[in-house]
Amino acid sequence: MFRSEDAWIKTYKQKGALWLHDGNVKRPHALLSAGDHSTGFFNSELVMEDPLLLDEACADLVELFVTYCGTADLEVVDRVVGPAMGAITLAHDVARHIGHTRGRPCLRAYTEKATRGENNIMIFSRTSIREGECILRAEDVLTTGNSVDLAAHAVVEKKGIVFPVVLVLVNRSGLKEVNGMRLIALIDRPMPNWAPDACPSCKA
């Protein structure tokens, strides 16, 4: 491992990629990209913009995968998929490290947001997967698990096989799994978030 969880948290702080509210309700708190409010946020983009640092992060994720799942499971992964835009580069580098680790290629693709009727979905638009491929998902920051769940549905629609693990740079959800899919993260740091009308900081 290049870094322990504590060391990765320190790295995020050094990059300005981790912000925590000081508890003073008179000061602004975080508005997350999905619209919820929170007492803090992780911005993995500030880590992923550094190719050498991202390389180390992906190497650590693949090492954690082997530790928890074994080399045999690494052999069955055909492709790594991340949701656009945040996890495209992450999925690419994780696939590259899987390929180097096992000595043969691992492909990558990405899903994109779309709507079907009144429902938000994810689809393969500019990339695709092949029927029967075993797909490992990757995510930069996991807040609710909704995006990895939608990505899994996209894989099933294309008749791919969903590998029951998601590799995550930061898991802030407090969850250990999403619909039976185990979460393996560099950083497991639960951080509360609320809908705007339920936000205690706003009420205070």
Side-chain angles (χ1 to χ4, degrees), residues 9 12-13 15-20 40-43 189 191:
I9 290 174
Y12 267 72
K13 289 179 179 177
K15 286 286 186 179
L18 168 58
W19 179 84
L20 297 172
F41 66 85
F42 287 90
N43 182 2
R189 177 70 180 268
M191 195 177 287

Side-chain angles (χ1 to χ4, degrees), residues 58-112:
C58 292
D60 281 359
L61 278 175
V62 172
E63 185 173 337
L64 286 173
F65 179 97
V66 172
T67 298
Y68 289 113
C69 302
T71 54
D73 280 343
L74 197 70
E75 289 293 330
V76 306
V77 175
D78 296 306
R79 191 184 297 261
V80 181
V81 167
M85 294 290 292
I88 294 177
T89 308
L90 176 65
H92 180 278
D93 274 24
V94 167
R96 181 169 58 83
H97 275 283
I98 290 175
H100 283 312
T101 300
R102 69 187 186 185
R104 62 182 178 85
C106 179
L107 306 178
R108 84 93 176 100
Y110 58 88
T111 54
E112 300 175 73

